Amino acid sequence: MATDTSGFDEGNEQERAPEGGGGGGGLGGFAVGVVFGAFLGAGIALLFAPERGEKTRRRLRHRLRSLRDEAGDQLERAGKRTGRDLLRRRRRLEAGLERAASRAKDVF
């Protein structure tokens, strides 16, 4: 029988990562990367900002108002549509109940 000299331990089939969490840096490395990315992104945004702050804020306020108004209109339409649908279903249910009551009278 030949002896295996590769150093593979048959009892321990999984390779172990070196101590110290090697292989990616763990959660601490991720957090540092996120913070670094946020600062880098903010710096680039400031460098390439096309307008002054007041003009951008004014534009954002206008856009937010129009989105709010549009959302309100959509909610109002959805409410009316839901009300009509509920009324239609209620009438259909009442008609079904009347038919069932009529059939029950005929049977008894």
Side-chain angles (χ1 to χ4, degrees), residues 64-85:
L64 287 174
R65 277 190 207 116
S66 67
L67 287 173
R68 183 189 61 206
D69 293 344
E70 186 178 328
D73 292 344
Q74 292 290 336
L75 282 173
E76 187 177 334
R77 277 188 241 141
K80 288 179 182 179
R81 194 170 39 242
T82 302
R84 286 191 305 264
D85 188 42

Side-chain angles (χ1 to χ4, degrees), residues 6-92:
S6 65
F8 180 77
D9 183 9
E10 290 182 24
N12 185 10
E13 294 179 7
Q14 295 179 348
E15 292 185 30
R16 293 185 183 197
E19 293 297 323
L27 187 58
F30 177 74
V32 169
V34 168
V35 170
F36 177 74
F39 280 117
L40 182 64
I44 290 172
L46 287 173
L47 287 173
F48 290 101
E51 305 171 334
R52 297 192 56 113
E54 182 58 38
K55 188 173 182 180
T56 303
R57 285 190 292 272
R58 192 176 327 116
R59 183 177 291 164
L60 283 173
R61 275 194 304 269
H62 181 268
R63 181 69 179 138
L64 287 174
R65 277 190 207 116
S66 67
L67 287 173
R68 183 189 61 206
D69 293 344
E70 186 178 328
D73 292 344
Q74 292 290 336
L75 282 173
E76 187 177 334
R77 277 188 241 141
K80 288 179 182 179
R81 194 170 39 242
T82 302
R84 286 191 305 264
D85 188 42
L86 286 174
L87 183 60
R88 189 182 78 240
R89 290 173 188 240
R90 180 180 176 180
R91 288 179 182 159
R92 198 180 307 159

